[in-house]
Amino acid sequence: MPTRHRSLAIVALGVAAVAAALAGGAAAASRDEVRPVRPLALEATAPVAKQAAARAQARAWTPPSASEDRSRAVGKPNDGRLRNGLLLPAEGRDFTTFDSILERAPSREWRRYGTGRLLRVVYAALRDYREANPDAPRVLIGDLSRPRGGWFGREYGGLGHASHQNGLDIDIYYPRRDGRRRKPARASQVDRRLAQELVDAFVARPEVRYAFVGLTVGLTGPAERVQRLPHHDGHVHIRVLAPRG
Ligand SMILES: [Zn+2]
């Protein structure tokens, strides 16, 4: 090999060596960022077992009785606060929570606070609904109030709420015709028969003051309590009466 070619070959080898060293360095750096390796079995089963325990715990929860309940609605649904609010679990026997902004289940905790009174009504109505419709999918629950209530407007995502301020309001998605666990985007996706049963189960509870339903979804009830509003073709908004005193 002529000298000039040999020196070119050496340069090429040198470049390859530098490249290999760089690649090795990069691999080492990324290895450092990886968490320490733990036994595979633990890695795979621990979070699953933990999740199962959390789910079982959520499903076993029931709202406190009126005499044990320290939660209080303060002020009005459109201008109020929530004292000692109770957290609705991520899911229950008869429901799953669904985050309308992130479009996933469960909903974020801070969107799920209410009075015990509201939660007792929800648990009782959903139990009645499930017993009458044992094959229906679990109901999806949307927003309640923030942990201490107060303003829940647009800055918290989507259209926001004018009310939902003192733990007496809750949004519940209508069951879908295709049975999917997502909120219906329009009235045509709603299983009208099941949706009417759901509204009826709430209206049967004397504590329910209003059920706000959509303009085109075609749901009915006593006119002074079942009222039509824009933006309610995907969910019914239930408001319970503030307790006296
Ligand atoms: Zn609402």
Side-chain angles (χ1 to χ4, degrees), residues 143-144 160-164 169-172 212 232 235-239:
D143 290 340
L144 287 80
H161 307 281
S163 59
H164 287 254
D169 295 286
I170 187 167
D171 289 339
I172 299 181
F212 297 111
H232 288 72
H235 70 276
V236 53
H237 172 144
I238 299 292
R239 175 172 302 157

Side-chain angles (χ1 to χ4, degrees), residues 4 53 74 164 182 220-221 245:
R4 199 165 58 88
V74 181
H164 287 254
R182 298 185 58 77
T220 61

Side-chain angles (χ1 to χ4, degrees), residues 167-227:
L168 297 175
D169 295 286
I170 187 167
D171 289 339
I172 299 181
Y173 295 103
Y174 301 127
R176 289 174 58 113
R177 291 168 59 187
D178 61 11
R180 287 181 68 197
R181 286 205 317 181
R182 298 185 58 77
K183 63 175 184 177
R186 60 191 75 89
S188 60
Q189 294 175 334
V190 173
D191 182 322
R192 203 163 291 178
R193 185 189 69 79
L194 283 179
Q196 185 66 59
E197 296 246 343
L198 186 61
V199 169
D200 292 349
F202 277 96
V203 172
R205 299 270 145 199
E207 302 92 334
V208 171
R209 179 68 187 90
Y210 294 112
F212 297 111
V213 298
L215 299 177
T216 63
V217 72
L219 302 172
T220 61
E224 74 284 3
R225 292 168 70 210
V226 178
Q227 299 194 354

Side-chain angles (χ1 to χ4, degrees), residues 50-152:
K50 234 175 163 179
Q51 268 175 24
R55 290 186 69 178
Q57 199 177 19
R59 280 174 170 239
W61 189 86
T62 52
S65 66
S67 59
E68 305 170 309
D69 177 10
R70 293 176 57 244
S71 64
R72 291 288 175 270
V74 181
K76 300 198 166 99
N78 290 335
D79 180 14
R81 290 181 291 114
L82 174 59
R83 198 174 293 152
N84 300 321
L86 295 167
L87 173 64
L88 179 76
E91 63 179 300
R93 176 172 179 176
D94 300 324
F95 68 88
T96 303
T97 58
F98 186 82
D99 197 304
S100 64
I101 309 304
L102 302 179
E103 298 259 348
R104 63 157 171 77
S107 168
R108 285 163 288 179
E109 253 186 50
W110 58 268
R111 306 181 79 94
R112 287 197 250 129
Y113 281 81
T115 54
R117 185 179 178 85
L118 174 64
L119 300 193
R120 285 189 290 278
V121 166
V122 168
Y123 273 67
L126 294 186
R127 182 199 59 219
D128 294 348
Y129 169 79
R130 186 240 316 151
E131 286 176 354
N133 303 279
D135 299 327
R138 283 194 293 165
V139 171
L140 290 189
I141 291 182
D143 290 340
L144 287 80
S145 292
R146 296 166 54 225
R148 291 187 175 78
W151 180 244
F152 201 163

